[in-house]
Amino acid sequence: MRDFQAAPLYGLAFGALYAAAAIVILLLTAFGMIYLAYPLAAGFALIVRLSPSASMKLSRRREAGTKPSCRGILVPVLARGELRWMAFVTLFVFVIWMYQVGAC
């Protein structure tokens, strides 16, 4: 709570990202494009793991007494191999999904 009170813009940005992704997935199902909703929901579940890492970086920077910045928070998170691994898994799931769609 103290991190949010110190830098509310970051928490609101993460919340807006989650809400926007949920609205897009919901709209896809409402317009009958359920075949796109499932892969997007699965991909979102993989990418959403970046938020706790960024929140932890924000908390650490605040504890150290430095002013948090987007670059200072996201660069270390994106530099880790976690993002490459998530991209690989997402691409793998997409290729398997396309193979199954083509086989039908």
Side-chain angles (χ1 to χ4, degrees):
M1 185 68 176
R2 288 185 211 130
D3 291 336
F4 181 74
Q5 289 172 343
L9 189 59
Y10 294 104
L12 293 174
F14 288 132
L17 176 69
Y18 294 152
I23 289 170
V24 166
I25 292 170
L26 197 68
L27 286 175
L28 286 174
T29 58
F31 289 118
M33 292 187 268
I34 195 122
Y35 56 90
L36 288 176
Y38 285 122
L40 284 175
F44 182 71
L46 293 172
I47 299 299
V48 80
R49 292 187 52 211
L50 290 177
S51 177
S53 298
S55 295
M56 193 179 323
K57 288 288 180 191
L58 173 67
S59 182
R60 286 183 184 158
R61 289 179 73 71
R62 198 176 75 74
E63 285 177 0
T66 60
K67 185 175 180 185
S69 67
C70 288
R71 185 178 183 92
I73 294 170
L74 293 178
V75 168
V77 171
L78 296 176
R80 293 187 351 195
E82 184 175 315
L83 183 65
R84 288 187 289 261
W85 176 249
M86 285 189 278
F88 171 74
V89 170
T90 304
L91 183 64
F92 181 74
V93 169
F94 179 74
V95 168
I96 295 298
W97 176 67
M98 290 304 289
Y99 179 74
Q100 292 295 329
V101 169
C104 291

